[in-house]
Amino acid sequence: MTRRFTSSQLLLLAASFLITLGSFAVLPYMSVLLHERLGLGLGAVGAVLAMASLVQFGGGVVGAALARRIGLRATMLVALAVRTAGFACFVPGLGRPWLAVVALFLVSAGAALYLPANKAHLVAGRPAAERPRLLAASGSAFNAGIALGPPAAAPFVLGEPGVLFGAVAVLFALVGVAHLLLPEVPDEPSEATRSGPAGWSAGAVPFAYTILAVYVFMFFQHYLALYAIPRTSAGYYGVVLMGYALLLVVVQPLLADWTSKLPYARALRWGFGTLALGLATIATGGHWGIAAGAVLICLAEAVLFLRNDLAALERSPDPPATVFARQRLAAGLGASAAALLGGPLYATAERTTTASHFWLLAAAQAVTLPLLLALALGSRRPPPKPTPYPEASAPRR
C-alpha cells in the first residue's frame, strides 16, 4: 500500500483547507452580522441559521444525486460556483438583509453539494486499506481551516466585512479554477462492497450511530462557551477551542490505521465511552477540568466519526458520494436534535441546580443511548433458522 498522496489528492486536501479557512472566516460571525449590523431580531436570526444548517447538512443527498448524473468533478465545480456567488452576494447584502439571507443559503447549498463529491473523489479507485488515511487527512485539512479561519478574520469581520467577503469570494473562485485540473473519475463502490442490498437499509446502523454521536458531541460544541467563559474567561475559551481543532489535526491521522482495524462494536464502545468521560470531566469546572474534558472529547471524535464513515462505506454497495451524503444527513439530524433539546436542558439545569449537571446528563446520554440503540437493533434481527435434529450428524454413544 502506497503512503504517498497523488497530485489529485493533494489538490483536494489543499482545497479542503482553503475552503474551510474561507468559510470559517465568515460563518462563525453570521449571528453577529445579521443581528447587530443588519438589524434582524434574534428570533429571525435563529430561524435563518437553523434553516441554513438544514440545507447544508440535508442537501448532501441532492449533491450525491447530481454527482451520479454529471460526475464528481462537475459537481464540485457547480458547488464552488454557487458558493462563490453566495460570498459575492454578501458584499451588496451588507446593506440589504434579504440579500444577505439569500447569500447565506447559497453558501450553505454550495457546501451541501461539494462535500460528498470531494470525499468520494478522494477515495475513488483506491483500495479499502487506504481509505482511513485519506479520510483522516481530509478531516485534518478541514479542522486546520476551522482553527485558523476565525482568528484570521477577526480584525476585519466587523470593521471591513465587505473586504472580507470579497476576498473570500475571490479565494473560492481560484479554488474552483484549480478544480479544472482534476481528472474525472467514476463514483463507484469498491469491489469489496458491490454485492448486497443497495439503499438506506445497507448503511442504517452507522447512520443511526452517527446521529447519536453528533447529537451528544454537539452539546460540547453548542454550550461549552456558556459554561466555560463565566468560569474562566473568553480568552481561555478561545485557546481551548483552537487547541482542540489543532489537536484533532494531528491526532486523527495518527490514529487512522488503529481506528480502521478496530472492530466496529469495540470502536463504538471506545468512542462513546471516551466521549462520556470527557463530558463528565467538563462538569468538574475550572481551567483544568474544561481543558482535560476537551482533550478526551477530541480523542473520541477522532475515532468515532471516522469509524462510522468507514463502517458506512464497508456496509453499503452504493457509490461513495451517496454514502457520504447520507452520513452528512445523519450529522445534520444529530446536530439539530442537540440544538433543540440542549438549550432547554441547559436552562433547566442552570435554573434548578447547577450547569455542571447538564454535562453529567450529557455524559449519561453518551452511555445509555448507544446501549438502547444496540438493544433496539438487536431485537429487529431475524432469529437464526433452526437446524432440525442437529445431533443426528454425530454418532450416538
Side-chain angles (χ1 to χ4, degrees), residues 161-188:
V163 174
L164 177 62
F165 285 120
V168 172
V170 171
L171 174 65
F172 271 80
L174 293 175
V175 171
V177 171
H179 276 62
L180 293 171
L181 302 174
L182 289 172
E184 186 56 82
V185 295
D187 183 27
E188 296 178 348

Side-chain angles (χ1 to χ4, degrees), residues 57-363:
F57 283 100
V61 177
V62 177
L66 184 64
R68 287 197 299 272
R69 181 172 293 274
I70 67 174
L72 295 173
R73 185 183 69 165
T75 299
M76 287 188 283
L77 288 170
V78 170
L80 289 168
V82 170
R83 295 199 89 183
T84 300
F87 282 113
C89 282
F90 270 120
V91 178
L94 291 172
R96 301 176 179 86
W98 67 268
L99 188 55
V101 172
V102 170
L104 178 60
F105 277 93
L106 285 174
V107 170
S108 300
L113 296 176
Y114 181 83
L115 289 170
N118 173 285
K119 285 189 173 182
H121 199 295
L122 191 66
V123 302
R126 310 310 301 173
E130 289 191 27
R131 286 176 170 178
R133 179 176 64 97
L134 293 171
L135 293 178
S138 176
S140 291
F142 275 100
N143 281 289
I146 290 172
L148 299 178
F156 308 100
V157 69
L158 294 179
E160 296 290 343
V163 174
L164 177 62
F165 285 120
V168 172
V170 171
L171 174 65
F172 271 80
L174 293 175
V175 171
V177 171
H179 276 62
L180 293 171
L181 302 174
L182 289 172
E184 186 56 82
V185 295
D187 183 27
E188 296 178 348
S190 67
E191 293 292 338
T193 58
R194 284 184 193 276
S195 61
W200 287 84
S201 60
V205 172
F207 181 86
Y209 279 111
T210 297
I211 292 175
L212 286 189
V214 175
Y215 164 70
V216 178
F217 170 77
M218 290 306 290
F219 288 149
F220 168 76
Q221 286 281 17
H222 286 326
Y223 302 108
L224 183 63
L226 289 176
Y227 182 79
I229 291 175
R231 290 163 176 79
T232 57
S233 68
Y236 184 79
Y237 168 72
V239 169
V240 168
L241 215 59
M242 181 179 290
Y244 180 98
L246 294 177
L247 180 61
L248 194 58
V249 170
V250 176
V251 165
Q252 193 165 55
L254 292 177
L255 295 180
D257 286 340
W258 177 74
T259 299
S260 67
K261 293 172 184 174
L262 275 179
Y264 187 42
R266 188 180 302 171
L268 291 174
R269 289 194 297 270
W270 194 97
F272 279 107
T274 306
L275 183 57
L277 185 59
L279 293 167
T281 303
I282 288 175
T284 63
H287 292 73
W288 286 107
I290 291 169
V295 169
L296 288 167
I297 293 172
C298 179
L299 295 174
E301 180 185 353
V303 173
L304 198 53
F305 290 9
L306 176 60
R307 192 64 186 89
N308 273 324
D309 280 352
L310 292 173
L313 285 171
E314 292 162 1
R315 293 168 181 238
S316 176
D318 290 319
T322 300
V323 175
F324 289 128
R326 284 202 293 260
Q327 288 297 100
R328 278 193 61 77
L329 176 59
L333 293 173
S336 298
L340 290 173
L341 299 177
L345 286 176
Y346 192 95
T348 301
E350 196 170 44
R351 184 175 63 253
T352 58
T353 53
T354 172
S356 295
H357 290 169
F358 168 81
W359 300 103
L360 295 177
L361 180 59

